[in-house]
Amino acid sequence: MKKILITLVCCFLCSTGDCSAADWKDQAVLNLEQSPHAKLHPVPVRAVRLNDGFWKSRQTVTEAKSLPSMLALLEENGVMDNFRRLTGKKKVARRGPLYTDSDIYKWMEAAAWALHNHDDPKLRATIDSLTEEIRAAQEPSGYLNTYWVEERAKDRFQKMQGGHELYCLGHLLQAGVAYYRATGNRNLLSLGEKFVAYLERDFGPGKKPLLTGHPELELALVELYRTTGERAHLDFARYLLSGVERERLSLKDSEVKYMFSGIPFTSRKQIEGHAVRAMYAATGAADYYMETGDAAYLKTLNALWEDTVERKMYVTGGVGSRPQGEAFGEVYELPNQQAYTESCAAIGNWIFNQRMLAITGDAKYADVMERALYNGINSGMSLSGTLYCYRNPLASYGEKIRNPWYTTTCCPPNIERTFLALSGYFYSTSREGVYVHLYDNSAMDWRLESGTPLKLAQKTDAPWGGKTTISVDPARAEEFTLFVRVPAWSKTTKLTVNGKPFAAAVKPNTYAALKRTWKPGDLVGLEFDMQPRFVAANPRVPEDYGKAAVQRGPFVYCVEQPDNTAGPVSDLAFSAAAPLTPEWKAEFLGGIMALTHKGLTWPKPLAGEPLYSFIGEGPGSPTKAADLLLIPYYAWANREPAAMQVWLPLR
């Protein structure tokens, strides 16, 4: 009788177009359970607990410090008053750039992911209160935007290249989906759905033209489709990706290059233009591929990924080298001090590779995710959780880089939502078994795709150490494959199952496939190679030719001036003959594994040497011994503003 009732309820829900409503608690960051071209299916955020360790501490700071301080700043700078003024609740002028609505939506999404980790009635009440204030500003048609109102209402969807109307809507939808999956409450989501219904009614082929000048809505529409089952949302995402409106909108080549929209996505040959827009467009296209299997999309995605990772990505996982236009440069154009590398762009790289990993199960995508997360994203928020980097250069002469607030404050809540949803990126399932992508103390309580309940628990000294034990506890003995990622940075890896060495070869940048009949209490042991290593760039990167960076585990390192008294950091060099020695510093910068190194510097300060000199008459090579201290890149600029270098000459 119970099964009959469940079946009837499910049939009713499907008839209303919401087949997934009965299991909202089981939906992950990406709800890929029914996506026909997704090989991997993420485990829900609430099914994974981060225990004491590196990322738990970052989450704790984000929830305790970042969320309340950022909401206070959003209020102080009039972001919510922009909604209240439309309902007569506040008689104030609109404040901030035209895209400020998206900032409160991202904050609400971050708060929603916090609720996946643990319930907080006060936080729920805050989101509900904000939702009602936003609802009051929504027009009966469904249109919702605090900038394109009053005297600017006539220009709605007339300045699509930079209007950000659809960008804001995309973030509203993502906030609504996250809150729905946290609580089952659709109130916030319904605001976005009403706006989408307005668009789908009035825009598209044979109707008014529409363009996402800043891609974001594409990926949000696909996730809305996964949430509701409404095919119209997926079809509208296809329309936006198709770029069919270029002629109707009279777009110039420079505009479509910069926006990364306006021409068919599948005609793209290289990654270019505004870095965040390009990454979000690629992410939305990857989402679309997972639902349709359109081979032309996958071909383009592979080409764009290769162009990004092989020619245009920083060693930190950051992307977007040019300050002008916050854009990608030409191939190998990767300056260090002038690097723009916006925090949002690194997050775009993270989510693009998340989708590619789900499509393929290939470890190379998880490797890029890890590189971006531990370095280019992690550097974007201070250790205190209240200061942020908009740009993340790889060299600095001491300019102030961290601030509590930016007029364009897209990055802070973007980092917050990333950190608070992080447990949802650690594990995935597939028809074959379960995947382990990231390493930190954590516990998963989920199930195999056969339906068998499964618990995994990591006990590890990662990311500072290389030893990890994974306990595998299925509810009953069952054959499946446990895929454990072997990072690209681990030159040699030891792997055991119940104390016995794993027979097959363990190669870097792969998943070791452990297929066996697993029983409760089974243990997998991993020991990664944590030897610090010098990293060289392709010789075509002119700024890094003859130089090296340092990486240990997932962390890229840098030298910062307060720790190095042998001379200006720009005058320091690495010695290829000297070791890089790890040294744990528990009370320094929140607790880090620093590296000491007997490096080199020039006999005389370079600032006193001629700008140009004939070979043999100039300063020569660095020959003077210099004691160097290296810190993880993410931890720089957490004291006073100071000079910093990632790449140093290697002698």
Side-chain angles (χ1 to χ4, degrees):
M1 183 66 180
K2 185 176 179 181
K3 288 184 178 180
I4 294 173
L5 288 173
I6 291 173
T7 302
L8 288 173
V9 169
C10 290
C11 288
F12 169 75
L13 290 167
C14 286
S15 70
T16 65
D18 193 357
C19 300
S20 57
D23 55 2
W24 53 268
K25 288 186 177 181
D26 291 347
Q27 295 179 19
V29 174
L30 298 179
N31 184 29
L32 302 181
E33 294 299 321
Q34 304 301 319
S35 301
H37 300 280
K39 181 177 181 178
L40 306 188
H41 309 117
V43 171
V45 172
R46 60 165 32 92
V48 179
R49 184 181 69 252
L50 296 185
N51 295 323
D52 289 348
F54 185 83
W55 286 114
K56 177 64 175 178
S57 66
R58 290 299 263 164
Q59 279 196 336
T60 299
V61 167
T62 303
E63 188 171 343
K65 300 294 185 180
S66 308
L67 283 183
S69 62
M70 182 49 54
L71 181 58
L73 285 168
L74 290 168
E75 286 282 12
E76 181 182 323
N77 286 274
V79 173
M80 281 307 299
D81 283 349
N82 290 338
F83 292 92
R84 296 175 185 128
R85 65 184 290 274
L86 298 180
T87 62
K89 200 171 181 180
K90 284 280 188 79
K91 293 184 178 180
V92 293
R94 193 194 183 281
R95 295 173 63 189
L98 73 172
Y99 36 71
T100 56
D101 293 1
S102 67
D103 298 331
I104 191 65
Y105 298 153
K106 276 185 278 189
W107 184 93
M108 294 171 79
E109 183 188 348
W113 291 123
L115 295 175
H116 285 249
N117 295 317
H118 65 87
D119 191 27
D120 182 338
K122 185 178 179 181
L123 193 56
R124 272 192 287 114
T126 298
I127 296 174
D128 290 341
S129 176
L130 293 172
T131 298
E132 291 311 306
E133 293 197 277
I134 294 167
R135 180 191 300 280
Q138 187 167 35
E139 298 178 9
S141 66
Y143 187 85
L144 177 58
N145 189 284
T146 68
Y147 186 83
W148 300 102
V149 294
E150 299 168 335
E151 72 278 2
R152 289 188 288 263
K154 67 182 185 304
D155 293 324
R156 290 177 183 176
F157 302 114
Q158 300 301 307
K159 301 179 180 180
M160 286 180 270
Q161 294 91 325
H164 284 73
E165 290 158 282
L166 302 186
Y167 171 79
C168 291
L169 170 58
H171 281 299
L172 172 60
L173 289 171
Q174 288 187 289
V177 166
Y179 192 55
Y180 167 61
R181 291 176 182 171
T183 63
N185 185 326
R186 297 183 68 104
N187 288 346
L188 180 58
L189 180 59
S190 69
L191 306 185
E193 288 182 291
K194 189 175 180 181
F195 196 167
V196 170
Y198 160 75
L199 294 177
E200 292 174 348
R201 183 188 69 236
D202 290 356
F203 296 85
K207 306 174 186 177
K208 299 176 185 176
L210 198 64
L211 171 78
T212 50
H214 192 309
E216 159 64 25
L217 182 57
E218 297 88 340
L219 60 97
L221 281 172
V222 178
E223 202 58 41
L224 181 63
Y225 161 71
R226 292 169 180 153
T227 305
T228 66
E230 290 288 345
R231 178 77 188 192
H233 305 327
L234 183 63
D235 292 341
F236 207 71
R238 179 188 63 209
Y239 162 68
L240 295 174
L241 289 163
S242 69
V244 297
E245 302 294 9
R246 180 174 183 176
E247 290 187 7
R248 281 214 283 173
L249 295 170
S250 302
L251 297 175
K252 301 175 183 177
D253 288 344
S254 59
E255 289 175 318
V256 298
K257 179 184 291 188
Y258 175 75
M259 297 180 298
F260 215 81
S261 58
I263 64 172
F265 180 84
T266 53
S267 70
R268 292 283 179 182
K269 304 298 182 185
Q270 61 179 332
I271 202 80
E272 60 187 349
H274 188 274
V276 179
R277 299 179 194 219
M279 290 287 96
Y280 284 11
T283 300
D287 279 321
Y288 179 75
Y289 170 80
M290 283 190 275
E291 304 307 321
T292 65
D294 189 321
Y297 276 82
L298 185 58
K299 180 180 179 182
T300 303
L301 290 166
N302 286 330
L304 296 180
W305 184 88
E306 182 178 349
D307 191 40
T308 301
V309 174
E310 297 297 330
R311 293 177 281 275
K312 297 175 182 175
M313 184 180 76
Y314 283 90
V315 70
T316 58
V319 293
S321 59
R322 290 182 176 178
Q324 183 180 10
E326 303 178 337
F328 283 98
E330 297 298 326
V331 294
Y332 307 114
E333 184 187 333
L334 296 167
N336 293 317
Q337 198 272 333
Q338 294 85 13
Y340 205 73
T341 48
E342 182 185 342
S343 294
C344 283
I347 292 171
N349 198 20
W350 158 262
I351 60 175
F352 174 38
N353 278 275
Q354 176 206 19
R355 269 65 167 189
M356 297 302 289
L357 175 62
I359 291 168
T360 64
D362 193 324
K364 68 182 183 181
Y365 301 111
D367 182 69
V368 177
M369 290 177 66
E370 182 183 65
R371 181 174 296 278
L373 176 65
Y374 280 87
N375 301 288
I377 298 172
N378 199 17
S379 61
M381 179 189 288
S382 68
L383 301 177
S384 68
T386 58
L387 300 172
Y388 304 89
C389 293
Y390 191 93
R391 54 184 294 262
N392 298 268
L394 279 74
S396 169
Y397 290 114
E399 64 270 28
K400 186 178 180 182
I401 195 71
R402 296 191 186 277
N403 295 285
W405 176 260
Y406 294 88
T407 302
T408 298
T409 192
C410 53
C411 297
N414 209 358
I415 298 168
E416 291 162 11
R417 68 174 184 150
T418 301
F419 285 174
L420 291 171
L422 189 57
S423 58
Y425 295 82
F426 267 65
Y427 304 95
S428 296
T429 62
S430 73
R431 287 179 294 178
E432 298 173 274
V434 61
Y435 283 70
V436 180
H437 305 305
L438 300 170
Y439 295 97
D440 205 342
N441 291 308
S442 59
M444 183 195 87
D445 188 354
W446 190 231
R447 57 177 176 263
L448 296 167
E449 296 193 3
S450 66
T452 301
L454 173 67
K455 293 182 180 180
L456 295 180
Q458 289 189 44
K459 291 186 177 180
T460 179
D461 55 6
W464 305 116
K467 294 182 179 180
T468 298
T469 299
I470 303 174
S471 63
V472 185
D473 287 294
R476 55 182 176 273
E478 184 170 332
E479 183 180 81
F480 62 90
T481 303
L482 176 67
F483 297 89
V484 291
R485 188 173 70 88
V486 182
W489 45 260
S490 181
K491 192 173 182 180
T492 59
T493 298
K494 297 178 181 178
L495 197 160
T496 62
V497 179
N498 293 328
K500 297 180 179 179
F502 181 55
V506 181
K507 299 179 180 179
N509 210 17
T510 62
Y511 284 93
L514 312 180
K515 185 176 182 180
R516 65 191 302 272
T517 298
W518 294 94
K519 300 175 182 178
D522 282 343
L523 295 175
V524 173
L526 291 158
E527 187 171 346
F528 298 127
D529 179 3
M530 299 296 292
Q531 182 68 28
R533 299 168 71 181
F534 288 117
V535 178
N538 187 300
R540 287 192 174 187
V541 181
E543 278 215 11
D544 299 336
Y545 183 72
K547 295 181 180 180
V550 171
Q551 183 171 346
R552 181 180 183 272
F555 293 110
V556 172
Y557 280 71
C558 67
V559 290
E560 193 174 17
Q561 195 64 69
D563 311 313
N564 294 275
T565 58
V569 293
S570 56
D571 289 8
L572 302 178
F574 294 127
S575 170
L580 294 155
T581 305
E583 182 179 328
W584 177 248
K585 292 182 175 288
E587 304 302 321
F588 183 47
L589 294 172
I592 62 166
M593 187 69 77
L595 299 175
T596 59
H597 177 68
K598 291 290 185 180
L600 301 166
T601 188
W602 274 259
K604 297 180 181 179
L606 293 181
E609 296 291 335
L611 182 59
Y612 303 104
S613 58
F614 292 106
I615 299 298
E617 298 177 6
S621 298
T623 56
K624 183 180 177 182
D627 291 329
L628 273 57
L629 181 74
L630 288 79
I631 64 171
Y633 170 76
Y634 79 86
W636 84 281
N638 273 278
R639 293 166 283 181
E640 71 280 2
M644 177 275 296
Q645 298 274 134
V646 170
W647 294 90
L648 295 179
L650 180 64
R651 296 293 186 265

